[in-house]
Amino acid sequence: MDGMNNLTLHTDKYQINMMYAHWKNGTDGEGAVFEAFFRKLPFGNGYAVFAGLERIVDFIRHLKFGEEELAYLAQQEENYDSGFLECLRRFQFKGNVHAVEEGTLVFPNEPIVRVEGTIFETQLVETALLNFMNYQTLIATKASRIKQVANGDILLEFGTRRAQEADAAVWGARASYIAGFHATSNMHAGMMFGIPTKGTHAHSWVQGHESEEEAFLAYAKALPDGVTLLVDTYDTLRSGVPNAIKTARYLESIGKRLGGIRLDSGDLAYLSKEARKLLDSAGLQDAKIVASNDLDETLIFNLKAQGAKIDTWGVGTQLITAADQPSLGGVYKLTAREKNGEYIPVIKISANPEKVSAPGKKDVYRIMNKTTGLAEADYMTLHDETDVRDGERIKLFDPVHPYIHRYMSNYEAVPLLKPIVVEGEIVYELPPLEEIRNYHERQLAIFRPEILRKLNPDLYPVHLSERAWQVKMDLIKAHQE
Ligand SMILES: Nc1ncnc2c1ncn2[C@@H]1O[C@H](COP(=O)(O)OP(=O)(O)OP(=O)(O)O)[C@@H](O)[C@H]1O
Ligand SMILES: O=P(O)(O)OC[C@H]1O[C@H](OP(=O)(O)OP(=O)(O)O)[C@H](O)[C@@H]1O
Ligand SMILES: O=C(O)c1cccnc1
């Protein structure tokens, strides 16, 4: 089972088949440019939060066909001849990767990762790259929606037991932390990424004792610093909270304070208000109320509107599975290919005009209005265009409705695609997680609140330069002819 740790074959069979066919036809060394983007924002949100780069970089760094992989391929497909396998044995990723940084707010139809290299290597990495980007970006975006309604309350990620397996649990915990969650219950995620970890206790702890009172006391004796007791096993207000107060008295006798209580069933608004009154009248104003039970952004928003006295929200299933929209439809499209030593733009035509890809190797800039300091639009150009880099007046128009346009000159253009891998060498220093989280928070501050709101947000414009648009029109015309 050594191959379990090598992710080189974490790809679709058709990629290897295409690599083989290129190799067989002698076209494997031809250059290609792919761009990864998504067409539709998840959850009806106005933005997505990019995550997944760290794992993409790690994946590329460790790409290697080992003996086990090669033996497996030989056994799977008799057409793969030994010359091809030999070529894979020597394989090293020598291409370039540009990507937006984790924590960046990203929008539909703009490249968020761009991969250049031989068709052989660029095709190989598609599947894993999309896998990491789609899942982690989805969870970071879901977490960001929850963060918005929590209004600064503490958010704990509790999803592991209901996540779609182990990788989803740990990388989902990381994505949630980037988007502003404060801690995770997953110790492995804590150890891997340095995310703060937090935990209360389960119902089994209470069930496993002769009485709730005895259970609380035993737990508090073992973990006297800031312990949180789960009060809903039998009867929250008649037994759970009074027993927690008794435990607080014990803690006071040894110079400690009760951390708080957790509610995990019933009417969380009502129970939290009543529990708050009981705790306050016992002099435990500092004890926090934690709530959990299939929470998501809609429930948290509603509970707050009902005046719930909840300080900390434990969020599991709905977050880690992105239950209301369990996938992000990010795609990886060929935008340019080498022909006779030169790169030519290529297009993917679709009956749906919004799905026709934007051809050509592109860059994307965040156009910052110098007067307001806010992000005005994202602007995609062909890679060799310099106008926007030089700060010249640019025309902003909607690529689907090009008659809607305006000009802009008082701007600063921030390039979003950063060099990550250059000729196979990692040139990007992966920032510490804390820095990514802070950067994400700063990102939120540069967008108008109308774009950030959860319900029916304003559409943030993503524009195409006139030249890039013209290339697209020319190619559509050429294909029609
Ligand atoms: N005041 C409230 N307003 C709206 N939804 C709430 C409120 N309180 C709790 N909920 C949510 O309602 C859902 C169902 O809660 P309910 O209490 O019926 O089930 P439960 O607690 O899981 O059941 P049980 O008591 O058998 O464990 C949960 O998602 C919970 O978070
Ligand atoms: O509801 P979620 O958002 O997914 O949050 C995680 C849930 O997992 C635990 O329940 P579980 O019944 O698994 O264990 P328990 O016996 O400790 O309550 C916890 O009590 C939460 O209810
Ligand atoms: O610490 C907790 O309370 C916890 C952890 C995981 C899942 N549910 C609750």
Side-chain angles (χ1 to χ4, degrees):
M1 296 285 268
D2 288 351
M4 290 281 279
N5 294 323
N6 184 339
L7 289 182
T8 307
L9 288 187
H10 186 52
T11 190
D12 296 302
K13 186 167 193 177
Y14 80 164
Q15 315 283 18
I16 306 280
N17 280 344
M18 287 187 281
M19 290 165 75
Y20 176 70
H22 273 300
W23 178 82
K24 198 78 184 162
N25 296 326
T27 51
D28 52 311
E30 284 182 0
V33 182
F34 280 91
E35 290 171 5
F37 60 93
F38 58 84
R39 297 192 177 100
K40 196 168 176 295
L41 284 161
F43 323 114
N45 210 46
Y47 61 89
V49 181
F50 176 65
L53 183 60
E54 181 160 319
R55 196 153 199 215
I56 291 171
V57 169
D58 194 60
F59 165 74
I60 288 176
R61 178 183 282 150
H62 291 106
L63 275 174
K64 184 174 170 45
F65 291 90
E67 292 312 314
E68 208 177 337
E69 284 71 32
L70 293 167
Y72 174 74
L73 288 173
Q75 169 225 323
Q76 279 297 300
E77 177 60 65
E78 57 190 32
N79 276 311
Y80 296 161
D81 57 41
S82 57
F84 175 62
L85 297 174
E86 202 42 51
C87 175
L88 293 183
R89 182 177 277 113
R90 289 193 312 269
F91 175 87
Q92 282 183 310
F93 184 87
K94 288 284 180 196
N96 301 332
V97 179
H98 284 70
V100 304
E101 295 187 277
E102 289 189 293
T104 304
L105 265 55
V106 291
F107 300 90
N109 300 313
E110 61 189 13
I112 47 189
V113 184
R114 188 181 76 209
V115 182
E116 303 155 78
T118 63
I119 186 65
F120 202 69
E121 61 196 354
T122 52
Q123 201 71 71
L124 175 66
V125 300
E126 166 177 356
T127 308
L129 187 150
L130 288 178
N131 181 205
F132 304 146
M133 169 189 115
N134 279 329
Y135 174 70
Q136 294 188 39
T137 301
L138 184 75
I139 302 305
T141 307
K142 180 73 177 170
S144 183
R145 286 171 66 74
I146 296 168
K147 173 76 179 173
Q148 277 205 34
V149 300
N151 259 339
D153 294 350
I154 300 294
L155 289 169
L156 309 178
E157 187 281 308
F158 278 176
T160 298
R161 61 191 60 202
R162 311 233 153 71
Q164 329 292 26
E165 262 276 5
D167 277 3
V170 291
W171 291 97
R174 181 179 178 277
S176 310
Y177 189 67
I178 289 175
F181 267 61
H182 298 87
T184 176
S185 61
N186 185 306
M187 297 295 277
H188 191 211
M191 191 172 94
M192 283 170 76
F193 308 122
I195 308 171
T197 53
K198 284 239 182 295
T200 69
H201 66 76
H203 292 108
S204 61
W205 179 260
V206 177
Q207 293 168 287
H209 287 79
E210 288 305 313
S211 70
E212 189 177 55
E213 183 179 348
E214 184 192 307
F216 284 178
L217 197 62
Y219 203 57
K221 280 184 175 166
L223 293 150
D225 294 302
V227 68
T228 296
L229 300 168
L230 174 62
V231 292
D232 74 336
T233 307
Y234 303 124
D235 186 324
T236 301
L237 298 177
R238 280 197 281 180
S239 144
V241 179
N243 280 329
I245 292 170
K246 280 190 200 159
T247 313
R249 298 289 171 248
Y250 157 74
L251 286 167
E252 283 157 17
S253 76
I254 57 164
K256 307 273 183 185
R257 301 288 296 169
L258 176 72
I261 60 165
R262 176 162 73 98
L263 305 171
D264 188 48
S265 59
D267 184 325
L268 296 173
Y270 170 76
L271 291 173
S272 65
K273 287 185 236 179
E274 294 303 311
R276 185 75 270 160
K277 282 187 217 156
L278 294 173
L279 292 169
D280 286 355
S281 54
L284 297 168
Q285 289 88 348
D286 55 335
K288 303 289 184 213
I289 299 183
V290 184
S292 52
N293 191 10
D294 222 17
L295 296 173
D296 66 2
E297 66 273 34
T298 307
L299 266 172
I300 295 173
F301 187 79
N302 257 282
L303 287 166
K304 285 173 96 64
Q306 292 170 46
K309 298 280 185 201
I310 295 167
D311 307 287
T312 299
W313 307 86
V315 188
T317 314
Q318 297 293 320
L319 165 64
I320 209 74
T321 65
D324 47 337
Q325 190 189 316
S327 71
L328 177 70
V331 295
Y332 183 83
K333 294 289 166 196
L334 185 69
T335 59
R337 71 180 176 92
E338 194 183 354
K339 188 179 174 188
N340 306 326
E342 273 188 53
Y343 277 84
I344 58 162
V346 296
I347 196 165
K348 161 79 181 71
I349 304 275
S350 162
N352 177 353
E354 298 196 5
K355 276 196 164 183
V356 178
S357 68
K361 171 174 162 180
K362 293 183 293 302
D363 284 319
V364 54
Y365 298 88
R366 187 143 290 163
I367 305 297
M368 302 294 298
N369 183 321
K370 275 194 185 162
T371 313
T372 62
L374 295 176
E376 196 77 30
D378 284 359
Y379 185 68
M380 289 184 281
T381 68
L382 295 175
H383 179 64
D384 59 7
E385 286 185 65
T386 55
D387 295 14
V388 70
R389 273 177 243 165
D390 298 342
E392 286 175 26
R393 189 175 86 135
I394 49 171
K395 183 176 177 181
L396 297 178
F397 66 95
D398 183 329
V400 182
H401 309 286
Y403 44 88
I404 307 173
H405 69 270
R406 68 200 164 105
Y407 291 91
M408 190 153 176
S409 24
N410 187 31
Y411 66 83
E412 188 197 338
V414 181
L416 292 189
L417 292 175
K418 303 279 158 67
I420 309 295
V421 181
V422 174
E423 293 176 7
E425 296 295 324
I426 316 275
V427 295
Y428 179 71
E429 202 173 314
L430 290 164
L433 191 57
E434 214 59 41
E435 214 170 278
I436 299 175
R437 192 167 181 271
N438 293 337
Y439 163 72
H440 169 66
E441 205 177 333
R442 292 198 302 279
Q443 274 280 291
L444 287 169
I446 64 170
F447 288 89
R448 288 190 294 117
E450 293 76 16
I451 286 154
L452 301 180
R453 73 168 170 244
K454 241 176 77 259
L455 188 65
N456 302 324
D458 263 10
L459 195 67
Y460 178 75
V462 176
H463 295 304
L464 202 55
S465 74
E466 281 189 284
R467 262 195 62 208
W469 187 77
Q470 197 53 56
V471 167
K472 180 171 174 174
M473 292 304 120
D474 292 349
L475 275 179
I476 292 176
K477 203 158 156 240
H479 279 276
Q480 280 166 348
E481 281 163 9

